[in-house]
Amino acid sequence: SVLAEYVAEYRDSHPTSRVALILGMMRDKAHRSFFTILRPYIDELIVTQADIPRAVPVSKLTAELRDLMSPIRPVSTPGDALLLARRLMTPADLICVTGSLMLIGDIKAFLRGCTLSPIRG
């Protein structure tokens, strides 16, 4: 995937940096295969969910990926997931949000200080 290529290149050009992945996906997506491609490049996995009914619950996505990475840090809201990633990582590290455009919209809304995702609003 393009994202895996980007993260791999980032790791090559920043060998002392770590990578945190904030992941939230929809129920109808291939969760394990999506993450398996990214796994070799990830140091921290934070699982969360977008605020829509189609989103996979945090507990279910965590259970599906548990044998692929440990530990997994489950966080109930996208904003709290970003706050945790910022606490775990340094400015030299990479925080990547992926899995769902709705999740990215929720993170953007959190960063802008509003409650409605710019993607949906």
Side-chain angles (χ1 to χ4, degrees):
S1 80
V2 173
L3 179 58
E5 289 174 20
Y6 173 81
V7 176
E9 288 174 15
Y10 181 87
R11 295 297 297 258
D12 287 343
S13 62
H14 301 83
T16 60
S17 295
R18 299 171 65 235
V19 176
L21 188 72
I22 299 175
L23 179 66
M25 300 182 77
M26 297 300 117
R27 294 177 192 266
D28 59 338
K29 301 302 177 190
H31 313 134
R32 288 179 62 87
S33 60
F34 181 86
F35 180 70
T36 299
I37 294 167
L38 295 167
R39 173 61 188 104
Y41 315 109
I42 305 304
D43 299 294
E44 296 284 349
L45 176 58
I46 302 167
V47 172
T48 192
Q49 67 187 75
D51 186 22
I52 65 169
R54 279 187 51 226
V56 176
V58 171
S59 59
K60 182 173 186 209
L61 188 55
T62 299
E64 285 184 41
L65 303 179
R66 184 168 284 127
D67 65 320
L68 299 177
M69 181 160 185
S70 181
I72 296 175
R73 301 173 190 276
V75 180
S76 59
T77 67
D80 287 341
L82 181 60
L83 292 174
L84 175 59
R86 286 179 165 174
R87 284 195 305 270
L88 294 171
M89 307 310 274
T90 72
D93 297 331
L94 177 68
I95 298 172
C96 178
V97 180
T98 191
S100 161
L101 288 176
M102 296 302 155
L103 174 63
I104 293 167
D106 286 349
I107 294 284
K108 286 178 70 173
F110 177 79
L111 289 170
R112 291 180 175 161
C114 60
T115 56
L116 181 63
S117 165
I119 289 177
R120 287 182 257 158

